[in-house]
Amino acid sequence: MGKLNADCMPESVTSVRFTGDGQCVLASTLDNTVRLVDKKTGEVLSSYTGHKNSNYRIDNCLSAKDTHVVSGSEDGRVCFWDLVEGKLVHTLNSPDKRDDKVAVESLSYHPKQCCLLSSGGNVVNVWKGEDWKTAQDTGHIPGTEERQDFPVLAGYVPDCPREMTLTKQWRKI
């Protein structure tokens, strides 16, 4: 028989993710905070702030080597914190030129390479390398203009021969 452990957070939880070693959980909450929580004890080991997350489901993840916490933000940024120090160390700004920045709702860090997918609205960005420049294959997914109220979900498929795989399935209701 399995065991259930439940912990209460001070605000609604919008995203959870295990750390690479499976010992901790990253939890994003609607108080503009990502928390690193010990899986066994429920103790909050660190908190990460500096991004905006008060209205939407915003993804978080860890870098491939578990050295940085990464989160999207409602103001169109991707934020990086040092896992141990909890300090905001880098932000990526969407190359989207519109005045009204779209929330970065979905993130996926490549399991082995320094490469990150981010998405919000109808745009998927592929960020590569230590300098985090947008890759050439970054851009707009045709046919999603009419459904901007739904996020495009970003994700890597392990052992996929291509660098990235995106699946888009829209159904009109």
Side-chain angles (χ1 to χ4, degrees):
M1 186 63 65
K3 182 179 177 183
L4 171 67
N5 291 330
D7 291 307
C8 292
M9 294 286 170
E11 259 309 323
S12 296
V13 177
T14 63
S15 179
V16 291
R17 179 111 28 184
F18 280 111
T19 56
D21 63 7
Q23 299 303 308
C24 296
V25 174
L26 280 177
S28 294
T29 55
L30 289 179
D31 60 354
N32 305 309
T33 307
V34 178
R35 291 173 177 82
L36 180 67
V37 179
D38 183 278
K39 183 180 76 173
K40 286 186 181 178
T41 66
E43 177 186 358
V44 176
L45 303 174
S46 193
S47 294
Y48 309 93
T49 59
H51 67 301
K52 185 168 177 6
N53 184 15
S54 57
N55 295 305
Y56 302 110
R57 179 196 174 279
I58 301 291
D59 256 351
N60 66 56
C61 65
L62 286 162
S63 60
K65 296 180 182 176
D66 281 358
T67 56
H68 292 88
V69 171
V70 185
S71 177
S73 183
E74 292 174 13
D75 59 7
R77 296 179 302 143
V78 176
C79 298
F80 291 75
W81 294 267
D82 182 277
L83 177 74
V84 176
E85 294 179 16
K87 191 167 142 183
L88 183 64
V89 294
H90 192 67
T91 58
L92 300 175
N93 293 305
S94 174
D96 190 346
K97 302 295 183 216
R98 294 182 296 179
D99 289 336
D100 58 332
K101 295 293 182 186
V102 176
V104 177
E105 299 174 282
S106 185
L107 295 172
S108 183
Y109 208 102
H110 192 282
K112 296 179 183 168
Q113 299 175 17
C114 190
C115 187
L116 174 74
L117 293 175
S118 68
S119 69
N122 61 349
V123 175
V124 174
N125 290 309
V126 181
W127 304 90
K128 291 184 178 182
E130 294 299 330
D131 60 355
W132 293 109
K133 298 294 182 197
T134 309
Q136 280 187 324
D137 50 356
T138 298
H140 173 76
I141 298 177
T144 58
E145 299 88 353
E146 70 280 2
R147 299 306 297 263
Q148 290 187 24
D149 52 332
F150 294 105
V152 175
L153 298 179
Y156 279 99
V157 178
D159 302 320
C160 182
R162 290 209 49 208
E163 187 171 280
M164 84 176 201
T165 300
L166 296 173
T167 304
K168 180 186 88 161
Q169 296 177 337
W170 298 118
R171 247 181 5 169
K172 291 202 176 195
I173 301 174

